[in-house]
Amino acid sequence: MAADSMEIDDALYSRQRYVLGDTAMQKMAQSHVFLSGIGGLGVEIAKNIILAGVKALTVHDTKHCTKWDLGINFFIHEEDVTSQRNRAEATLPRIAELNPYVHVAASTVPLDETTDLSFLKHYQCVILTEVSLLLQKKINDFCHAQQPPIKFISADVYGICSRLFCDFGDEFEVLDTTGEEPKEIFISNITQSNPGIVTCLESHPHRLETGQFLTFREVNGMSCLNGSTHQITVVSPYSFSIGDTSKMEPYLHGGIAVQVKTSKMCYFAPLQIHVAMLALNHFQENFGRGPNIGCLQDAEEMLKIAMSISETLENKPQVNGDVVKWLSRTAQGFLPPLAAAVGGVASQEVLKAVTGKFSPLQQWLYIDVLDIVTPLEKVGSEEFLPRGDRYDALRACIGDSLCQKLHNLNVFLVGCGAIGCEMLKNFALLGVGTGQDKGLVTITDPDLIEKSNLNRQFLFRPHHIQKPKSYTAAEATLNINPHIKIESDINKVCPATENTYTDEFYTKQDVIVTALDNVEARRYIDSRCVANLRPLIDSGTMGTKGHTEVIVPHLTESYNSHRDPPEEEIPFCTLKSFPAAIEHTIQWARDKFESSFSHKPSLFNKFWQTYPSAEEVLQRIKSGESLEGCFHVIKTLSRRPRSWTQCVELARVKFEKYFSHKALQLLHSFPLDTRLKDGSLFWQSPKRPPFPVKFEFNDPLHYGFIMSTAKLFATVYCVPFTEKDLSEETILGIISSVKVPEFRPSNKVVQTDETARKPDHIPVSSEDERNAIFQLEKSILSNEALATDLQMKPISFEKDDDSNGHIDFVTAASNLRAKMYNIEPADRFKTKRIAGKIIPAIATATAAVSGLVALELIKVVGGYPADAYKNCFLNLAIPIMVFTETAEVRRTEIRNGISFTIWDRWTIYGKEDFTLLDFINAVREKYGIEPTMVVQGVKMLYVPVMPGHIKRLKLTMQKLVKPSADKKYVDLTVSFAPETDGEEDLPGPPVRYYFVQEDN
């Protein structure tokens, strides 16, 4: 984003633009930020705000690199420690290459109580980490007193505790508090009363809050509401009141209420500090040092200080003794994942400070991870003492035994996108997979690096574009910690790769971590983890929102235990004939792209691969054979454009068909005055009547459609074109001589049923078949059915390549359809997000989420009890962070006290001549209940009521299951007879049947 032109580099920033919007992006690109302290927390904040794209960042630090830093700052390397480089100078070149648009400078001058602070006036935001409380207060007072105030943020991580403070001045205007799209509500009724009650369409709750503002448009009858703004009071999920409507005209039909986003003022006070942190500060002042690592005596002393501080305060706050003691015992240490979480939140606050986008933190955030250290209460203090290696900071927090368990860990990370990159950084700092004899990190991701990834997948650089993510990420992780053992694959994890990632592979993993967008892949991996009794930590983000979920065998529910509500599908009839919102026209245009340039060309190629010559096809259909798809293929062949001129002509004919004839046909089927059986108008909200669009060459939208459509037709039909062909003069010459077919109304039935699905096959009439024979004969005679004519080039939709014209076509087609239905159009940027199903993303949220995942990983490795694990939902925009205990695993009762959970698996060992009856008896003897049904996947092995199944009891399991030679076992599903007839069979757990007794 060059500061002078202020143009946004969409190829780099597209995913983040959807989170912040262009106004905030441009404000950010004019902001200068000062950050003091480039330790473990400072480097996290620096990384995130450089990726986001501020104009300039100065990183300040006066300390030299030590071995300690290797375990907390992922951009400090062993050679920096050897040469005792300043931390800011060592980090500078590595953070600077994260984003070429950000100017990064280092400062190493002392910053203390005697420093003249006037140099800070150059900055819009100042962030302090690792700065004394006295100096924090001095700098905060200076920033608060400026006009306009310099936004001030201070943050620190002390062992297992962290704090974050924001002061954006006496008054700070927030332009958009949530970042959510303004809601649009279709209206079904408005009462003539005081107050007037607005009711929205049934099954579409408004999801508004009292106090919000709405404006109205397209209201019929009570038309004075159109264009006016009203503050609302929520009455019910489907209605709200808007003030006095009693003197207005009566409401007839239609109308859309649109939420009006309003700015909000926030007010800030200068720095204050809370009891535990104050006690730490007093301890440091009293003793000239911090409390010693793991020292119980110092912890008691600090608790006394905290108690006495509490007594002096007005409201005498309750002191949490455990927090104070553990803060004391670990304050010298540093927990990198906690820094990642706090760094993500703090960086988002920096972006809020310089843009006014989203609600700032008011004004404090404390996060502790007491549940990591509580189980370590009995561990001797020597466990926490330094050993002179890169893990000393971590060891001071969690003890050496847990560090060793992390080193010996086998972990499988699925996905090397934004969260995946952050996770690998966390693994490297925690020393995961670095054990001498044990420990390995396996990663997989089938994708190649794109430019848009560089904005948040921080292990990748411009020279990595088009290289595999997993190999590149592995190499970058070794730069952070050369001792990590890492294997990288480019496999997709799905049923098709079951031979790569076998049950044996899963059982070797101590934990699986998923960093994926794809819900189906997550469900599949979860099912493998449950089958192989392996813990899974799942997470995801969408814009500023994020979640983490920890799944532990025998303790928690699994990912598949809950189902997200399915995405609302747009009804087929809405897409085809009755769009009411821009999303409908974008989806229609996206479907048109798919069918015209991908699906039809693929079917065409497939057909001619099956039937290699046109003459053979002609012979076969003449003899009465029905060849699937031949009618459409012959129609495509006979209309195939063979020159650029014909591609432009075809595009012009399509324009008429899509945007004029379609409207005329609908108005022929349903004239404007059409009424339903109940007397109400057919064309009323949300149905909008279409009006034909008249082609205008000088309208950029019309011209854009012709150009993009003609180019795509030329590509699929392998027609070459030149720069001259693309000139306005050439296009005008072609279009002015096109014979556009006249509209002829048809009596085809228009689908109006919202529950109807798209038909799979449109029947072909006998007239169509005769026509096909005639057309194919004509093509053969004209020498237009040669081998080259029987090939097309299908196009795969690619949203991120602006030169390919795909988004140009979808934008033009969607906006023309929107114009036809009088729907507000969408710009190319919004169209690209919806058509490309782009998930908005920003580095701040991915960093925070990955830090929280790594904290749960420590607990999983430590084998902690159920109540220690926490799932989290966060939204950095509001900002909110909610931690919940994991859902306890449900137990299913079979009967007679026999029960099971999703984690239970029964095991039966057989032998070569073991029959199905032997298997059933073995289950009864071992587990006390006799199966009445045995199923293998979708194959019914034994269902007594099915013909011939009773005879199967005598067959051997080998014969029934037919395993491959290397298969040692099969997983079966069994169920049991209900207690009373007529009820459903009772489910049972999976039963793993081994074909031969294994050696124990």
Side-chain angles (χ1 to χ4, degrees):
M1 193 159 27
D4 48 355
S5 70
M6 291 313 295
E7 240 185 69
I8 295 170
D9 181 348
D10 187 62
L12 175 67
Y13 287 118
S14 67
R15 306 308 188 260
Q16 183 179 287
R17 277 177 86 184
Y18 291 121
V19 181
L20 296 177
D22 288 5
T23 308
M25 291 282 293
Q26 285 165 345
K27 282 186 177 178
M28 201 160 57
Q30 294 169 307
S31 303
H32 294 74
V33 178
F34 178 84
L35 166 65
S36 179
I38 198 87
L41 179 56
V43 74
E44 282 284 352
I45 296 170
K47 159 182 63 82
N48 297 337
I49 60 179
I50 289 170
L51 290 170
V54 295
K55 181 176 186 178
L57 173 69
T58 302
V59 290
H60 166 265
D61 203 290
T62 55
K63 294 177 183 169
H64 293 294
C65 299
T66 64
K67 208 154 200 173
W68 181 278
D69 290 306
L70 294 175
I72 66 173
N73 180 327
F74 44 88
F75 281 143
I76 288 177
H77 298 165
E78 286 180 356
E79 63 268 23
D80 303 321
V81 177
T82 314
S83 57
Q84 287 209 309
R85 291 184 74 189
N86 169 280
R87 293 198 303 183
E89 287 174 343
T91 310
L92 177 75
R94 291 153 202 161
I95 55 173
E97 65 175 12
L98 289 169
N99 191 337
Y101 293 112
V102 180
H103 178 72
V104 189
S107 164
T108 60
V109 297
L111 183 62
D112 55 34
E113 278 76 10
T114 62
T115 306
D116 174 7
L117 299 178
S118 56
F119 77 95
L120 291 175
K121 289 181 181 179
H122 174 62
Y123 300 98
Q124 282 78 52
C125 182
V126 168
I127 310 144
L128 303 182
T129 72
E130 303 184 20
V131 170
S132 75
L133 182 59
L134 210 60
L135 186 54
Q136 283 181 51
K137 283 188 167 171
K138 183 184 173 185
I139 294 173
N140 180 213
D141 289 342
F142 174 84
C143 292
H144 196 96
Q146 301 309 304
Q147 282 307 323
I150 300 166
K151 315 300 181 283
F152 174 85
I153 294 171
S154 74
D156 275 301
V157 171
Y158 301 106
I160 62 138
C161 295
S162 64
R163 62 165 197 90
L164 171 61
F165 170 78
C166 298
D167 171 10
F168 297 170
D170 288 333
E171 286 191 350
F172 177 76
E173 187 179 12
V174 179
L175 303 173
D176 179 354
T177 55
T178 65
E180 301 292 338
E181 288 271 315
K183 296 182 178 76
E184 291 203 354
I185 295 113
F186 286 96
I187 295 165
S188 69
N189 188 43
I190 307 172
T191 62
Q192 243 181 326
S193 56
N194 187 7
I197 305 289
V198 180
T199 308
C200 51
L201 288 182
E202 59 185 51
S203 78
H204 290 87
H206 54 68
R207 297 192 173 91
L208 295 167
E209 292 170 20
T210 294
Q212 290 179 328
F213 289 86
L214 296 179
T215 182
F216 291 84
R217 64 168 199 256
E218 299 177 35
V219 175
N220 290 281
M222 211 176 265
S223 53
C224 60
L225 279 178
N226 292 329
S228 65
T229 302
H230 297 262
Q231 194 169 18
I232 65 131
T233 303
V234 171
V235 176
S236 79
Y238 296 93
S239 62
F240 51 87
S241 65
I242 56 166
D244 192 354
T245 58
S246 57
K247 296 186 175 60
M248 295 181 186
E249 293 288 307
Y251 171 81
L252 293 175
H253 64 86
I256 298 171
V258 184
Q259 186 185 352
V260 178
K261 302 215 93 173
T262 52
S263 64
K264 179 186 171 186
M265 291 306 281
C266 295
Y267 309 94
F268 291 82
L271 182 69
Q272 302 155 332
I273 201 153
H274 296 79
V275 174
M277 294 293 175
L278 265 178
L280 179 62
N281 185 62
H282 280 223
F283 188 102
Q284 287 164 335
E285 285 176 357
N286 294 353
F287 296 98
R289 62 171 176 85
N292 284 327
I293 292 170
C295 177
L296 301 179
Q297 206 176 337
D298 283 1
E300 287 300 333
E301 185 59 41
M302 200 163 108
L303 183 57
K304 279 184 202 160
I305 295 172
M307 294 294 212
S308 62
I309 292 170
S310 172
E311 285 303 310
T312 64
L313 297 173
E314 256 179 64
N315 56 351
K316 296 192 173 29
Q318 190 78 33
V319 174
N320 183 330
D322 289 340
V323 169
V324 175
K325 282 183 181 177
W326 275 108
L327 172 60
S328 171
R329 288 172 68 172
T330 64
Q332 300 281 6
F334 191 91
L335 199 51
L338 182 57
V342 178
V345 181
S347 316
Q348 190 69 57
E349 295 306 310
V350 176
L351 305 188
K352 292 173 189 180
V354 298
T355 64
K357 177 91 176 191
F358 306 139
S359 303
L361 178 70
Q362 291 198 284
Q363 292 181 252
W364 283 101
L365 173 68
Y366 288 99
I367 303 176
D368 69 69
V369 284
L370 201 58
D371 42 19
I372 283 185
V373 289
T374 304
L376 307 176
E377 192 65 57
K378 303 272 190 301
V379 174
S381 55
E382 67 286 348
E383 271 265 325
F384 298 86
L385 297 176
R387 311 273 162 112
D389 63 16
R390 64 166 61 219
Y391 305 111
D392 278 346
L394 173 66
R395 191 177 283 112
C397 299
I398 64 170
D400 191 59
S401 298
L402 257 180
C403 285
Q404 294 308 322
K405 284 180 179 174
L406 286 166
H407 298 342
N408 294 334
L409 198 68
N410 288 334
V411 62
F412 182 32
L413 173 68
V414 188
C416 299
I419 294 176
C421 285
E422 294 282 345
M423 281 315 308
L424 285 167
K425 170 257 296 174
N426 294 335
F427 291 167
L429 295 176
L430 292 171
V432 169
T434 57
Q436 280 197 318
D437 307 316
K438 289 182 191 161
L440 176 68
V441 175
T442 306
I443 61 176
T444 188
D445 194 310
D447 292 345
L448 301 179
I449 295 161
E450 307 281 347
K451 187 177 178 181
S452 65
N453 301 150
L454 304 182
N455 172 235
R456 62 206 178 282
Q457 300 177 16
F458 87 102
L459 297 179
F460 308 141
R461 302 289 174 268
H463 60 270
H464 293 139
I465 289 171
Q466 288 306 298
K467 290 185 175 170
K469 283 187 179 182
S470 60
Y471 299 158
T472 312
E475 205 178 309
T477 308
L478 284 165
N479 285 334
I480 301 172
N481 186 342
H483 310 292
I484 197 166
K485 288 174 287 181
I486 191 161
E487 266 182 21
S488 41
D489 298 331
I490 50 172
N491 300 317
K492 203 173 177 175
V493 183
C494 60
T497 55
E498 221 158 88
N499 294 336
T500 311
Y501 302 117
T502 58
D503 286 336
E504 196 177 348
F505 170 83
Y506 276 93
T507 51
K508 282 181 184 165
Q509 307 309 313
D510 298 304
V511 65
I512 289 88
V513 177
T514 45
L516 297 165
D517 295 335
N518 186 319
V519 172
E520 287 317 306
R522 283 149 89 170
R523 293 203 179 287
Y524 170 71
I525 294 162
D526 176 71
S527 68
R528 299 298 300 276
C529 290
V530 170
N532 293 288
L533 303 180
R534 285 292 165 269
L536 167 69
I537 311 177
D538 178 65
S539 61
T541 67
M542 185 172 182
T544 56
K545 301 184 182 92
H547 79 273
T548 64
E549 183 177 8
V550 60
I551 292 150
V552 185
H554 302 298
L555 297 182
T556 71
E557 290 284 81
S558 78
Y559 183 80
N560 281 309
S561 303
H562 52 81
R563 290 263 164 186
D564 293 330
E567 262 189 58
E568 260 188 54
E569 267 193 21
I570 305 168
F572 172 62
C573 70
T574 302
L575 281 178
K576 192 166 169 57
S577 306
F578 308 113
I582 195 68
E583 287 77 7
H584 301 161
T585 68
I586 292 171
Q587 188 59 53
W588 172 87
R590 178 71 183 80
D591 292 347
K592 271 281 170 273
F593 180 99
E594 206 56 38
S595 90
S596 304
F597 310 121
S598 178
H599 186 62
K600 282 178 184 169
S602 299
L603 290 178
F604 186 88
N605 289 351
K606 195 177 167 189
F607 182 87
W608 293 115
Q609 280 157 7
T610 314
Y611 309 105
S613 83
E615 289 78 6
E616 184 195 325
V617 168
L618 181 62
Q619 232 174 348
R620 289 171 77 160
I621 54 175
K622 272 186 167 176
S623 68
E625 255 191 87
S626 172
L627 307 182
E628 195 185 341
C630 84
F631 168 69
H632 294 293
V633 165
I634 292 165
K635 190 168 141 188
T636 304
L637 179 66
S638 67
R639 293 180 181 182
R640 181 179 187 126
R642 292 160 193 284
S643 65
W644 171 247
T645 298
Q646 288 178 344
C647 290
V648 176
E649 287 171 351
L650 182 57
R652 174 64 188 88
V653 169
K654 291 289 184 195
F655 182 101
E656 204 66 17
K657 178 186 170 186
Y658 296 157
F659 311 119
S660 174
H661 291 185
K662 173 71 183 176
L664 294 167
Q665 178 58 48
L666 270 169
L667 293 172
H668 168 77
S669 302
F670 305 106
L672 287 176
D673 56 1
T674 305
R675 292 192 177 267
L676 299 168
K677 283 176 187 166
D678 64 3
S680 60
L681 282 169
F682 176 83
W683 292 110
Q684 63 164 303
S685 182
K687 281 195 179 69
R688 311 167 75 89
F691 296 97
V693 178
K694 188 175 184 303
F695 181 76
E696 300 281 353
F697 183 81
N698 293 327
D699 187 319
L701 184 58
H702 300 202
Y703 182 75
F705 175 82
I706 299 293
M707 279 293 280
S708 58
T709 310
K711 278 157 96 176
L712 290 168
F713 277 136
T715 306
V716 295
Y717 289 112
C718 311
V719 172
F721 55 89
T722 62
E723 275 303 310
K724 188 169 181 282
D725 286 334
L726 300 174
S727 70
E728 262 189 49
E729 194 185 343
T730 307
I731 305 284
L732 181 59
I734 298 169
I735 279 182
S736 48
S737 58
V738 174
K739 286 194 174 69
V740 178
E742 275 188 29
F743 170 67
R744 287 202 180 88
S746 121
N747 291 320
K748 269 203 292 194
V749 175
V750 176
Q751 181 59 263
T752 58
D753 177 3
E754 289 200 3
T755 60
R757 316 281 301 176
K758 184 178 180 177
D760 290 334
H761 289 289
I762 296 163
V764 178
S765 68
S766 52
E767 188 189 341
D768 288 338
E769 281 174 6
R770 283 195 298 278
N771 205 5
I773 292 171
F774 168 72
Q775 285 175 336
L776 188 54
E777 280 178 330
K778 195 175 154 195
S779 296
I780 292 167
L781 287 171
S782 327
N783 276 339
E784 289 184 343
L786 306 173
T788 49
D789 299 313
L790 307 182
Q791 276 182 335
M792 286 173 75
K793 186 181 169 191
I795 300 175
S796 290
F797 180 73
E798 172 45 62
K799 58 188 178 285
D800 283 321
D801 177 0
D802 286 345
S803 65
N804 64 18
H806 299 186
I807 294 294
D808 295 338
F809 168 83
V810 173
T811 306
S814 164
N815 283 341
L816 279 162
R817 189 165 170 85
K819 191 174 183 179
M820 176 168 117
Y821 282 96
N822 194 21
I823 292 169
E824 196 77 24
D827 61 12
R828 190 179 189 282
F829 180 58
K830 181 176 178 177
T831 304
K832 176 176 166 176
R833 173 175 66 80
I834 296 168
K837 293 185 165 58
I838 291 174
I839 298 174
I842 189 164
T844 50
T846 46
V849 159
S850 74
L852 296 170
V853 168
L855 291 170
E856 294 307 309
L857 177 80
I858 294 171
K859 299 175 197 173
V860 169
V861 171
Y864 282 23
D867 59 3
Y869 301 104
K870 297 287 182 286
N871 293 339
C872 180
F873 169 78
L874 58 84
N875 184 350
L876 300 183
I878 311 180
I880 186 174
M881 216 172 200
V882 180
F883 291 95
T884 57
E885 288 194 2
T886 53
E888 191 183 341
V889 65
R890 276 196 299 271
R891 187 159 281 284
T892 304
E893 293 288 332
I894 307 174
R895 62 163 178 258
N896 305 337
I898 300 167
S899 64
F900 68 96
T901 74
I902 52 164
W903 298 102
D904 289 325
R905 188 176 60 224
W906 293 354
T907 312
I908 297 294
Y909 292 99
K911 47 185 192 288
E912 206 143 320
D913 57 355
F914 216 67
T915 63
L916 177 58
L917 184 59
D918 292 333
F919 170 80
I920 288 170
N921 289 337
V923 172
R924 189 188 63 229
E925 280 165 31
K926 190 169 178 183
Y927 297 104
I929 189 163
E930 184 176 314
T932 48
M933 196 154 87
V934 183
V935 178
Q936 176 197 357
V938 291
K939 186 172 150 194
M940 306 247 178
L941 294 187
Y942 178 62
V943 182
V945 293
M946 288 183 75
H949 275 220
I950 297 291
K951 290 178 186 168
R952 291 186 175 185
L953 291 169
K954 293 175 185 168
L955 294 178
T956 64
M957 292 296 281
Q958 290 271 8
K959 198 164 185 179
L960 270 172
V961 173
K962 301 184 181 69
S964 54
D966 58 340
K967 199 85 167 125
K968 291 181 181 173
Y969 59 80
V970 62
D971 286 326
L972 303 170
T973 306
V974 296
S975 51
F976 309 98
E979 294 194 57
T980 48
D981 286 348
E983 287 185 4
E984 280 189 25
D985 280 11
L986 304 166
V991 179
R992 181 162 285 184
Y993 172 71
Y994 287 86
F995 295 105
V996 288
Q997 179 76 40
E998 282 205 330
D999 298 329
N1000 289 330

